[in-house]
Amino acid sequence: MATLKKSSVLPGFNLTLGYTIGYLSLIVLIPLTAVFLKTASMSFDEFWQVVSADRVVASYKLSFGASFLAAGINAVFGLLLAWALVRYSFPGKKLVDALVDLPFALPTAVAGIALTALYARNGWLGQYLEPLGIKVAFTPLGVLVALVFIGLPFVVRTVQPILEDLDTELEEAAASLGAQRWQTFRHVTLPILLPALLTGFALAFARAVGEYGSVIFIAGNLPMVSEITPLMIITKLEQYDYVGATAIASVMLVFSFVLLLIINGLQAWTAKRTGRDR
Amino acid sequence: MQRKSLLVGLFAAGLLNFSLAQAQTTLLNVSYDPTRELYQEFNPAFTKYWKGKSGQEVVVKQSHGGSGKQARSVIDGVDADVVTLALAGDIDAIAEKARLLPADWQKRLPLASTPYTSTIVFLVRKGNPKGIKDWGDLVKPGVAVITPNPKTSGGAQWNYLAAWEFAKRTYGSEAKAKEFVANLYKNVPVLDSGARGSTITFVERGIGDVFLSWENEAFLAVKELGPDKFDIIVPSLSVLAQPPVAIVDKNVDKKGTRQVAQAYLEYLYSEAGQEIAARNYYRPTLDKVAKKYAKQFPAVTLFTVDEAFGGWSKAKEVHFKDGGVFDQIFTRR
Amino acid sequence: MAGAVALHVGGDHAARFEGKAATRETPLVKWTIIGLALTFFAIFLLLPLLAVFVEAFRKGWETYLTALTDPDALSAVRLTLLAALISVPLNLVFGVAAAWAIAKFEFRGKHFLITLIDLPFSVSPVIAGLVFVLIFGAQGWLGPWLFDNDIKIIFAVPGIVLATVFVTFPFVARELIPLMQAQGKEEEEAAVVLGANGWQTFWYVTLPNIKWGLLYGVILTNARAVGEFGAVSVVSGHIRGQTNTLPLHVEILYNEYMFSAAFAVASLLAMLALVTLVIKNWIEYQAARSYRTTYGTSQQESAS
């Protein structure tokens, strides 16, 4: 171990790193290996048949599509919200700022039943939307709404500190060179925010793809239409199809891991761009 | 430091509490969705009966969910003493995959281990605005049908098979039946994983024109949520639904609860048990109680899965396994 | 994921931007942005929260209290607290150890290790439940052995705790790593050079510096532990009065036509979420104050 690190006078490297890796292996890595080992008990053809079945593919499209869209919506409105919170004063600002983290602290099942109560045909919002021909609950749109909710804090919270650190001089320089506000934003501010914005987007996306609790209440769970991939895993499990469930799980796991590598790369980029040591 | 010791104290209290709860004689009944109210009434009655008979204190714990999901939990290790599921096929699965009880479990209690029966009826909105009278009306354009997912819900499999048998008898062939059922599912806007989820979709969320429901579930919805809101429609033909019960041998032998588990299931057949079943809108099998409650249950022409489909395992194999008829219907859309 | 959950010591910057012409928008643009942002906020965040409380009290106080004092509800509260009480300290110790190793030392594979620590955050909770079924389920690897030795893991308290530990795994570590990296290691090195042992260094030098971040990590972990649904749902077995946690109890009540009761229990959880946010804000306030007293009053510094 000691050869891995550069020398330091501080003690406890072997102990803490050893503990970290041991605990990580016990709680996360070994259990996750179970998924791949179980999947390995099927031949590649069988595996392919399960993970490329029409219903499963439809669920990927919904899970990844809706998550991507939800993260996109959050990127736009999250940026607006962060902008308003940092740059303007308005009544109730402190409260809004504090409540942004709510989706992170609120249990997903609670979010699920609350959203269903709002958007069902006889719900608070549903009763006005339905006559307009907009059905939210029990359609892919409902999935989208739930995913927007759970992903909301991520963009706001990644963009906000960067916005706060922004020097006013840059924009003043742009203005003195004759740039319009919009041009300044487009060519000066946005490029600085971009890495953080992308990080927030990717975080919201990663969280949304795996989300289960809030979605199943509002999704309607119709095969080929409104089944998310985690529900496919549950459905397989409930039919005693353990290998089928793990095959789909392994696809999702690989995806999560790749996404995380991208996110950590993005965060390194943010740090470099803004000189923030995070 | 003080806070720390408080935490430790709480923690110990929690553990203690838990182990105390474990020490009593506890029966675990793993059941399907619509039996919640039935066993809520039946369990205290049995506890009292058993205390009087043997002097033993027994606590009955319940677990409910879609029938297939519940069977899965037992296979994976929920230590159920008794299972009271929606259909024989799910208990067969426990016998087959986990070998927790013998394959001929259904022969061990009277009437193929079925203490109460039920059937499938239609629940429609008050006044039946879409004029739904029989299975044939369900495939009409513009009729939204609510039924759970047959892959996970026992009730939904009864629905599906009843629709299939109606079409086979009416239109004369298996191919026509498949077409009929496919058209029916085209009219399904939400596919919940359990019967109870579907009831909520239809009753509370106001979705759909007709809900294919367990008879007891339909009666309960009308009773709990208002007779001014719903009507029950009885189709010309329906299926005799036989939700069976069984002791899970390996679990009771380990826990030493076989005697009380056996008594629990037998009590379902007793007059008191049958009364409770009837009060919760399950059709009693004991003649005396059946006569008393005859007026409550509409007369329907009923067929059994054994005569129409050659038994549950065959029906499951053909229709509900992955790639079976149900999957073909759905992926083709 | 650090940015999203990191302790955020901001302060109000609006005056700085609104004071200068070059960084100020016209009132029309300003209020359009505020309007759009707040509409989005109200529809997607405020309304669901409001719905929980309104639905909870729809049938009055009595129903509300009955729902919360029901024995099954109380046992769900107990189990939920137990799961949180075990998983929070476990992940706390891990978080501190991991942050020490990662922030205070340079070694190869560090970024890979951080990615692995993040994994439970992006893995679907359903998969988290599934893995424990594969290992400890009756048909799983250890199932037969556990059955013979009468040890219950899944469908019992240990399984619920394991699933909870898994889903709340990264939060303390991810809270502390950036914080400890930002603080550098000079203070600790000085302490060691002056003769303090490792434990003393940690206790008297590091801990006071990270206490707010640590506390925030703990309340975040606690909030997630209490609210976990997907993973626990797979390993619980839904035995009422025995293996039901609060979020699962919400689902059960919801499925029993007891909507008001379901929302009553849900409101309890929502209240807990709100308390979490209040504590978070208090911590941020305290942290900002201690930064100011340590590093002077400049906004610029306190923000980093």
Side-chain angles (χ1 to χ4, degrees), chain A residues 23 88 101 164 181 207 210, chain C residues 16 25 91 124 224 280:
Chain A
Y23 186 73
Y88 309 132
D101 289 318
E164 283 172 356
R181 273 307 279 143
R207 178 96 171 79
Chain C
R16 184 156 64 89
E25 275 80 38
N91 285 336
S124 177
R224 299 296 298 186
K280 183 202 168 203

Side-chain angles (χ1 to χ4, degrees), chain B residues 258-322:
Chain B
R258 180 179 281 278
Q259 205 191 353
V260 55
Q262 181 76 24
Y264 181 80
L265 293 185
E266 280 169 2
Y267 194 61
L268 280 170
Y269 290 88
S270 74
E271 198 179 328
Q274 292 282 300
E275 280 270 352
I276 293 171
R279 272 206 296 278
N280 285 283
Y281 310 107
Y282 283 85
R283 295 184 174 217
T285 48
L286 193 69
D287 274 346
K288 190 176 160 198
V289 181
K291 278 201 190 94
K292 184 174 163 193
Y293 284 88
K295 262 190 270 161
Q296 182 177 305
F297 300 103
V300 202
T301 315
L302 298 171
F303 70 90
T304 69
V305 170
D306 283 353
E307 60 192 45
F309 294 89
W312 262 109
S313 41
K314 208 170 155 204
K316 278 207 153 183
E317 183 69 20
V318 174
H319 292 277
F320 304 123
K321 71 158 199 207
D322 271 0

Side-chain angles (χ1 to χ4, degrees), chain B residues 123-137:
Chain B
L123 192 66
V124 297
R125 311 230 171 256
K126 192 73 195 173
N128 196 2
K130 296 270 165 123
I132 291 154
K133 295 270 178 323
D134 206 349
W135 293 100
D137 298 318

Side-chain angles (χ1 to χ4, degrees), chain A residues 5 11 13 20 23 35 86-89 93 98 101 104 149 154 164 166 168 172 181 207 210 246 256 264, chain C residues 4-5 8 12 14 16 18 20 22 25 44 91 94 98 100 105-106 115 122 124 134 174 224 280-281:
Chain A
K5 59 153 185 168
F13 177 73
T20 301
Y23 186 73
V35 170
V86 172
R87 298 220 160 189
Y88 309 132
S89 15
K93 176 167 142 174
D101 289 318
F104 207 83
F149 175 84
F154 295 102
E164 283 172 356
L166 222 54
T168 49
E172 286 173 302
R181 273 307 279 143
R207 178 96 171 79
T246 53
S256 307
N264 282 331
Chain C
V5 291
H8 168 74
D12 204 336
R16 184 156 64 89
E18 286 198 289
K20 291 175 185 159
E25 275 80 38
F44 281 97
N91 285 336
F94 160 76
W100 182 267
F105 300 93
E106 292 305 321
T115 304
S122 77
S124 177
L134 289 179
R174 279 311 237 148
R224 299 296 298 186
K280 183 202 168 203
N281 274 278

Side-chain angles (χ1 to χ4, degrees), chain A residues 106-107 109-114, chain C residues 48-49 51-53 55-56 64 67-68 246-247 249-251 253-254 258-274:
Chain A
L106 193 71
V110 174
I113 63 170
Chain C
L49 182 65
V52 172
F53 287 100
E55 295 286 334
Y64 186 82
L68 295 188
L246 275 178
H249 192 60
V250 171
E251 189 200 20
L253 290 172
Y254 189 79
M258 294 159 72
F259 294 102
S260 290
F263 277 101
V265 177
S267 77
L268 196 67
L269 288 163
M271 231 115 71
L272 194 83
L274 289 176

Side-chain angles (χ1 to χ4, degrees), chain B residues 9 27 102 115 120 187 323 330:
Chain B
L27 273 190
I120 300 298
N187 279 349
F330 249 98

Side-chain angles (χ1 to χ4, degrees), chain A residues 54-55 116-117 120-122 138 220-225 235-242, chain B residues 68-69 71-72 75-76 90 93 97 151-152 188-191 204-207 322 327 330:
Chain A
D54 289 346
R55 233 175 113 189
T116 312
R121 170 185 286 182
N122 52 7
F138 316 116
N221 308 330
L222 214 57
M224 308 297 289
V225 179
T235 310
K236 292 267 178 210
L237 201 60
E238 285 174 6
Q239 294 171 66
Y240 334 114
D241 183 3
Y242 298 89
Chain B
K69 169 177 165 180
R72 193 281 292 177
I75 290 171
D76 274 336
D90 287 326
K97 314 242 172 200
K151 305 280 270 195
T152 48
V188 177
V190 184
L191 211 54
E204 275 293 313
R205 299 286 159 236
I207 293 184
D322 271 0
D327 275 355
F330 249 98

